[in-house]
Amino acid sequence: MARPHRFRTILATALALLIGLAAAQTTIDYWLWLDDTTDPVWPAIVEEFHAAHPDIIVEYEMIPLGQYYDRLLVAASSGSAPDAARFKEWWLGDFVENDLLAPLDGFVAGWPGADDVIANLYNTGRTRADGPVYMLPHQYITFYLYYRADRLAELGVDPPTTTDEFIAISKLLTDPANQRYGFGLRGGGGGQDQWLAYMLAGGCDLVDDAGAVVADSQACIDANQAYIDLFRVHGIAPPSATSDGFAQVIGAFEAGITSFVAHHVGSSLRLTNVHGDALGVMDIPVVDPSKPATMAAMAGNVIFADGAKQAAAWAFLAFLTEHEQMDKMSRSVNGQLPVLASVAALDHYQNNKFFALSLRQADYATAWPPLPGVGYISSQLWQASMQQALLGDITSEQMMRGIAETLRGNY
Amino acid sequence: MIAVHARRRRRTRRVADATRSLGVHIAVGIWLLIALGPYVWMFLTSVKPTLELYVFPVRYLPSAVGFEAYEQLFTTTPFLRFFRNSAVVALSTVAFTTVTATLAAYALSRFRIPGKPIILVVLLVTQLMPAVLLVIPLFISLRSLGLLNTPWGLTLVHSAFALPFTTYLITGFLDAIPKELDEAAKIDGCNDLGAFRWVVLPLLAPSLAAASTYVFIYSWNEFIYALTFMTRESARTLPVGLHGFIGEFLIRWDLLTAGGVIATLPTVLFFLLVQRRLIAGLTAGAVKG
Amino acid sequence: MTLGLNRMKRHLVPLILLAPALITIVVVIGFPIGRAVWLTFHDYNVLRPARTTFAGLDNYLATFRDPVFWTALRNSLVWVGGAVSLQILFGFLGALLLNQRFAGRYLIRGLLLIPWATPSVLVALMWMWMLDGNYGVINDMLRHVGLIDRYIPWVAQPATALPTLIVIDVWQGVPFFAVMILAALQAFPKELEDAAVVDGANVAQQLWFIKIPFILPTLLITTVLRIIWTANYMDLMFIITNGGPGFRTTTLPFLAYTTSYRRLDFGQGATVALIQALLLAVVIVLYIRLLRRRQVV
């Protein structure tokens, strides 16, 4: 009777294993960057997810943004990418072109929370207007202009609405002998977002409605020239502008050296602490006041195509993009604009002048086109070209030609 | 007459000595100022209230001194863990590199090796490429060996890159110690090891101190390999951890400067220890002449 | 029997002593260097390595045709030449100084080490903070003293960007030279110095004819390696200027980095790095020749 006995044991073990596997936990790897890594809001959100989904464990890794892209590259080339990661639209073009990201349409279709996401924000995750969504929107920013309301009041002027008014007022506020300059132009690394906001407000589109690259059109060359002239001709930016990065332009504004600086909600808390009621915020001045324009930048979440745990990864990403978690995130010290309509409608945001303006701007804000080459432009090419143009090494046309060619894929 | 001249000569020599001493002290003072001035400023930055950092004109002294940055550094960030990780890697690298380099240096100095020029060239050629280009293949290798996120993988890589200079340095010092000393010791009854330990090693002490300091500092400060091979936050070393205080929109100057001040202390301690103890320890019982 | 054993010992012992060092170096570094050379002949797709294609000499041709490459080469020469020569000068003077007797000698030697002992991230940020063109303390002090009347944007101006980085590197590297040369000076046998004094040599003569030749091997190898390391050191550019303004602080390794990690062209990036490596190899060749002449090899 030995053989049937052994058979039963084997069957029992196999069944036990199967049941065990079904109840087993899946562990997913998630990468993100956060400006202030000491903020307790994020770990709390992850714990809540664990409580709500006991079968999934999220192991997250916080990587500073300055190291993030390099780490992604090393991971991609060695086949060791995480299951999911926070992502920027700058990198979509190259990653999608190399089939590294999983399309999310299937997941989104079956997600009850899909409609709460502000509809056109999904487009920041597409590389083609009719293509699939590769990046689930999470937190975004739009660019506006901070200004010193007290100084404008002293001068007896209203905040500028057109570029000419902006230049005129900035000149009044410029006094190099006393280390005063009108506008904190950011020519150093990372300044491409501020630049794009000015370009869009100046009437330049990098791509037209059909998706063709028109960054080297006359309109764009002129808009770029106007930006360069702020430094070279009108002299309303400090001489350090060619290499100023985020810390420098915000620091100079904090110190009262500049009176206008372009940035977004991410810095509103800090600047309010410093300037209080003297801090004003307005749209980027435009050439044509009937056509407001600015740029938006999206930080979203992606799932890597080669991963085996995509369903679990999606569960986590969806959790992050739901009302309560979104609200907590946006209110935290790392917070930016919520992508959910229900959160954006809350009083907390509507009554905050910085959030309120930004959310309104979402209607007409444009992001960098999701083309390969944007990664290169945002990490290196823009800065090198802008600095050369500000220093007079190259012309505006040469700069825009270089950017256009890169967007077309020739780099 | 002679006594007067002698006294005058002694006085002139004393004046000369005093001037020389004054000159030395002034020069050292200036050097200290230039070398440490930035750290004083960094310390002031770390205790100033954040609202007093970005002001024009510059504010030198803080209105209120606050050590919250240091408290936050230890309680809200994994700073101590970064510190420990760096220490483990650095000390392991020093131990491994100094020993292997000394062995290699002894071979290069005391024996006639046919391939010596080639070996010397190989040592140097490894230093020619920038780390950024070598990092991905190294990552792939370490990953397949399971050495990521452990101190040993990083120690191995650090040692490989620190060995050439260390070997050269110690070889040079060994060459300057005449072989006759070895022979003399052997005639006196020592074997090879004894000759090395009691005669050569004490004379080698200054170079070992310098070499181990170099290795420690190299490993302690190394960034790119540490960044790439220690991917998990729990395994990160100090430079990588400090870099993390630079965010996209915030620079935590308070944490950075506090952490920076503390990060430099171990190296100074190491050097001081090594200067005094190592030399004293090795020269104890040395046979001179 | 004893003779054969001795001969075997003579050949085997040095090999055994050399083995750990050589094996570590060759095993760890050999493959990556070979890989880097291989990269120069390919169009490497870092995101999907399987899609890499053979490129022949295209990377080399593209590199030589790129005006930024020649700018970077020029910058590298200025960078290495300026930084290393100043470090040797001040490091040597510093070593002589530290070799003197003064109060707190041991402690001060340790303290002066700190710039070299600091992670480059911190060094870069510290100096960036102090040199800021709008609220930096150095500008403020210079203005108070009357040396300047307008703040200078040190790293934003073409004329001062690279020199500023050189000064920071020298500040960081002087302790290294000082420590190495000091070690050599300390190993200098007192008997030789005494003999020279007895022979009537003054301080300068002692220095030139006896001390310097003695420390020359240490000085040489420290210099050669410092040249190679400085050539490859791009941390300051990475954090402070990002190669700007307008390529003024782009050196060869920085160009290799941005070409690889930002333009995603690892093949051409490796080519730039390899060309620099070959140029540096010339330095090594000269050094080995110098060693040969002094009959050390």
Side-chain angles (χ1 to χ4, degrees):
Chain A
M1 290 325 298
R3 223 173 286 164
H5 191 74
R6 210 185 302 149
F7 176 69
R8 253 181 278 144
T9 325
I10 295 173
L11 191 61
T13 322
L15 268 168
L17 266 170
L18 275 168
I19 297 172
L21 273 170
Q25 289 178 314
T26 329
T27 309
I28 57 167
D29 287 320
Y30 178 73
W31 284 9
L32 78 160
W33 72 86
L34 276 181
D35 252 40
D36 191 339
T37 55
T38 63
D39 188 34
V41 169
W42 170 258
I45 292 181
V46 176
E47 278 322 299
E48 276 168 39
F49 178 77
H50 286 152
H53 295 255
D55 53 330
I56 306 179
I57 298 183
V58 174
E59 277 183 8
Y60 65 85
E61 217 193 297
M62 281 213 252
I63 303 168
L65 187 63
Q67 304 166 7
Y68 202 83
Y69 190 50
D70 289 1
R71 291 282 304 275
L72 279 177
L73 294 179
V74 174
S77 75
S78 60
S80 59
D83 292 295
R86 192 168 152 116
F87 214 70
K88 279 219 184 230
E89 84 273 22
W90 296 334
W91 311 324
L92 270 179
D94 288 307
F95 274 68
V96 168
E97 192 184 45
N98 285 285
D99 303 315
L100 283 164
L101 302 178
L104 302 175
D105 285 355
F107 292 117
V108 172
W111 179 38
D115 292 329
D116 197 9
V117 176
I118 299 172
N120 75 325
L121 291 180
Y122 277 113
N123 292 325
T124 57
R126 285 185 233 264
T127 55
R128 284 187 341 256
D130 54 347
V133 173
Y134 286 99
M135 181 170 83
L136 185 66
H138 189 234
Q139 295 254 283
Y140 71 110
I141 48 95
T142 56
F143 265 74
Y144 51 50
L145 199 64
Y146 289 113
Y147 66 94
R148 289 293 296 271
D150 53 338
R151 291 190 182 162
L152 263 59
E154 260 171 56
L155 286 174
V157 294
D158 287 327
T161 48
T162 66
T163 15
D164 288 332
E165 284 172 21
F166 169 69
I167 294 175
I169 298 179
S170 299
K171 280 192 178 156
L172 290 173
L173 292 166
T174 299
D175 180 14
N178 287 316
Q179 201 72 22
R180 283 283 179 89
Y181 294 91
F183 176 54
L185 191 143
R186 183 173 166 183
Q192 68 276 355
D193 284 349
Q194 182 193 57
W195 171 83
L196 184 60
Y198 265 81
M199 292 291 276
L200 288 162
C204 159
D205 281 309
L206 293 181
V207 293
D208 63 18
D209 294 327
V213 173
V214 291
D216 45 1
S217 65
Q218 194 56 46
C220 286
I221 295 174
D222 291 340
N224 191 35
Q225 187 63 55
Y227 195 67
I228 296 171
D229 287 345
L230 294 176
F231 178 73
R232 283 182 74 78
V233 171
H234 304 294
I236 57 175
S240 59
T242 48
S243 69
D244 278 345
F246 168 74
Q248 287 74 34
V249 292
I250 294 291
F253 186 76
E254 218 182 287
I257 293 168
T258 51
S259 301
F260 286 103
V261 76
H263 205 240
H264 56 69
V265 281
S267 53
S268 58
L269 215 60
R270 169 181 168 180
L271 290 176
T272 312
N273 272 346
V274 175
H275 291 307
D277 288 327
L279 185 65
V281 69
M282 49 176 272
D283 266 301
I284 306 272
V286 277
V287 163
D288 180 353
S290 70
K291 296 209 193 97
T294 185
M295 75 90 67
M298 175 66 70
N301 286 307
V302 298
I303 297 179
F304 283 88
D306 294 340
K309 305 169 197 167
Q310 296 188 14
W314 171 258
F316 183 57
L317 299 187
F319 181 77
L320 290 176
T321 324
E322 274 157 18
H323 183 100
E324 256 196 63
Q325 288 73 253
M326 179 66 55
D327 190 27
K328 285 200 189 121
M329 233 17 246
S330 288
R331 286 184 202 239
S332 75
V333 70
N334 288 308
Q336 295 170 1
L337 300 171
V339 301
L340 301 179
S342 65
V343 178
L346 292 175
D347 279 341
H348 171 89
Y349 304 100
Q350 294 296 328
N351 293 341
N352 174 316
K353 63 182 175 188
F354 307 101
F355 274 97
L357 174 60
S358 307
L359 290 167
R360 257 184 292 133
Q361 287 182 318
D363 287 337
Y364 48 82
T366 318
W368 281 92
L371 300 166
V374 174
Y376 176 45
I377 293 175
S378 61
S379 61
Q380 188 61 26
L381 181 66
W382 175 86
Q383 181 212 314
S385 311
M386 188 82 246
Q387 288 175 335
Q388 286 183 296
L390 289 173
L391 291 170
D393 293 343
I394 60 174
T395 64
S396 169
E397 181 174 346
Q398 286 170 307
M399 173 174 166
M400 296 316 295
R401 179 96 14 96
I403 291 182
E405 282 305 299
T406 305
L407 288 171
R408 293 189 186 111
N410 308 325
Y411 64 98
Chain B
M1 249 306 127
I2 303 176
V4 171
H5 279 304
R7 240 181 289 142
R8 211 176 285 154
R9 242 197 334 267
R10 270 202 301 276
R11 227 185 303 141
T12 340
R13 205 173 348 120
R14 249 183 285 143
V15 170
D17 277 345
T19 327
R20 193 160 172 238
S21 174
L22 185 67
V24 166
H25 277 89
I26 292 181
V28 171
I30 295 177
W31 191 359
L32 273 170
L33 194 68
I34 299 177
L36 299 183
Y39 297 90
V40 173
W41 186 242
M42 201 164 67
F43 176 71
L44 283 173
T45 307
S46 72
V47 296
K48 255 184 219 162
T50 26
L51 284 174
E52 289 179 11
L53 288 182
Y54 295 96
V55 290
F56 179 84
V58 174
R59 205 204 161 89
Y60 285 85
L61 293 174
S63 64
V65 168
F67 289 92
E68 297 90 36
Y70 293 88
E71 190 198 320
Q72 271 198 353
L73 188 68
F74 291 117
T75 54
T76 63
T77 72
F79 184 76
L80 282 177
R81 161 150 274 153
F82 296 154
F83 202 88
R84 197 199 62 184
N85 293 337
S86 275
V88 170
V89 173
L91 289 173
S92 315
T93 310
V94 169
F96 181 70
T97 309
T98 324
V99 168
T100 41
T102 309
L103 292 175
Y106 193 74
L108 287 169
S109 174
R110 291 298 189 251
F111 292 85
R112 212 174 308 139
I113 300 168
K116 190 165 170 187
I118 302 178
I119 295 176
L120 293 179
V121 167
V122 165
L123 288 180
L124 289 180
V125 161
T126 58
Q127 309 280 292
L128 290 180
M129 294 292 266
V132 278
L133 259 309
L134 304 176
V135 93
I136 290 187
L138 275 171
F139 177 82
I140 298 176
S141 308
L142 285 183
R143 185 160 167 262
S144 56
L145 288 171
L147 287 175
L148 292 179
N149 289 312
T150 70
W152 319 122
L154 195 55
T155 301
L156 200 59
V157 173
H158 281 178
S159 302
F161 284 99
L163 268 170
F165 178 67
T166 317
T167 310
Y168 261 93
L169 193 68
I170 303 179
T171 311
F173 274 81
L174 267 176
D175 285 342
I177 299 171
K179 287 200 185 138
E180 293 75 43
L181 282 177
D182 297 27
E183 313 294 329
K186 282 190 218 162
I187 291 173
D188 277 353
C190 290
N191 58 11
D192 277 326
L193 196 60
F196 183 69
R197 165 70 185 88
W198 296 110
V199 174
V200 178
L201 208 53
L203 294 173
L204 213 50
S207 79
L208 287 180
S212 56
T213 304
Y214 155 72
V215 177
F216 187 85
I217 291 181
Y218 166 72
S219 177
W220 185 257
N221 289 347
E222 201 280 320
F223 182 76
I224 294 201
Y225 296 126
L227 170 70
T228 317
F229 305 149
M230 308 299 236
T231 55
R232 292 210 198 98
E233 203 186 25
S234 56
R236 281 189 203 152
T237 59
L238 211 46
V240 181
L242 284 178
H243 191 236
F245 294 144
I246 306 170
E248 189 181 0
F249 307 123
L250 306 164
I251 297 187
R252 294 294 307 266
W253 283 113
D254 52 344
L255 293 179
L256 254 174
T257 45
V261 166
I262 299 177
T264 55
L265 294 179
T267 331
V268 177
L269 271 157
F270 181 87
F271 181 67
L272 290 175
L273 258 159
V274 144
Q275 271 263 296
R276 267 257 160 82
R277 291 291 179 76
L278 185 67
I279 296 177
L282 289 176
T283 42
V287 176
K288 274 267 172 83
Chain C
M1 244 325 175
T2 342
L3 222 62
L5 259 170
N6 270 341
R7 207 179 312 145
M8 202 177 66
K9 189 171 102 171
R10 239 188 307 136
H11 282 147
L12 213 57
V13 168
L15 280 172
I16 296 177
L17 292 174
L18 273 171
L22 283 181
I23 293 177
T24 309
I25 294 175
V26 171
V27 164
V28 172
I29 309 182
F31 167 62
I33 290 193
R35 181 78 169 168
V37 175
W38 177 89
L39 275 175
T40 67
F41 299 108
H42 289 78
D43 185 4
Y44 182 66
N45 184 333
V46 63
L47 294 176
R48 279 285 182 201
R51 298 184 191 171
T52 299
T53 56
F54 181 68
L57 291 175
D58 287 348
N59 286 326
Y60 290 89
L61 291 173
T63 304
F64 289 125
R65 276 198 215 116
D66 184 7
V68 181
F69 169 73
W70 297 102
T71 307
L73 179 59
R74 218 175 22 247
N75 289 336
S76 277
L77 288 170
V78 172
W79 165 250
V80 174
V84 177
S85 55
L86 287 173
Q87 277 172 57
I88 296 177
L89 177 64
F90 289 114
F92 181 67
L93 293 174
L96 289 176
L97 198 57
L98 289 179
N99 208 21
Q100 305 295 316
R101 214 157 283 152
F102 52 85
R105 187 160 64 137
Y106 281 110
L107 179 65
I108 291 182
R109 276 184 196 159
L111 289 177
L112 289 172
L113 209 58
I114 294 181
W116 173 30
T118 313
S120 51
V121 175
L122 212 54
V123 170
L125 287 172
M126 243 174 19
W127 281 97
M128 208 164 71
W129 172 237
M130 294 194 304
L131 287 168
D132 192 275
N134 288 315
Y135 45 77
V137 69
I138 289 185
N139 269 320
D140 197 60
M141 290 203 284
L142 288 175
R143 190 160 153 190
H144 271 132
V145 175
L147 279 171
I148 57 172
D149 52 38
R150 218 48 98 65
Y151 277 18
I152 299 180
W154 298 98
V155 295
Q157 277 176 178
T160 51
L162 192 57
T164 304
L165 295 186
I166 290 177
V167 167
I168 300 175
D169 190 56
V170 170
W171 175 86
Q172 212 188 355
V174 161
F176 168 68
F177 268 93
V179 164
M180 295 304 148
I181 298 176
L182 179 65
L185 286 174
Q186 283 176 326
F188 186 69
K190 193 97 187 10
E191 302 83 57
L192 282 177
E193 187 169 4
D194 294 340
V197 171
V198 163
D199 278 350
N202 64 19
V203 175
Q205 284 169 323
Q206 279 176 42
L207 203 61
W208 186 252
F209 289 110
I210 305 169
K211 279 210 175 121
I212 291 187
F214 184 79
I215 65 170
L216 207 52
T218 309
L219 188 58
L220 267 179
I221 186 58
T222 309
T223 304
V224 167
L225 274 166
R226 195 64 179 175
I227 290 177
I228 297 176
W229 294 333
T230 305
N232 281 323
Y233 184 55
M234 47 164 256
D235 295 22
L236 295 179
M237 290 84 181
F238 184 71
I239 298 191
I240 303 181
T241 61
N242 207 30
F247 301 118
R248 298 301 193 295
T249 58
T250 299
T251 51
L252 289 173
F254 190 75
L255 182 61
Y257 169 74
T258 58
T259 308
S260 307
Y261 285 81
R262 301 197 177 158
R263 199 150 65 83
L264 301 185
D265 190 346
F266 273 73
Q268 203 171 332
T271 310
V272 173
L274 188 62
I275 293 177
Q276 179 181 259
L278 292 171
L279 291 173
L280 290 173
V282 171
V283 174
I284 298 183
V285 167
L286 289 173
Y287 171 67
I288 302 284
R289 283 247 178 93
L290 256 164
L291 282 187
R292 277 237 174 91
R293 210 141 33 96
R294 301 184 87 247
Q295 286 158 343
V296 178
V297 183

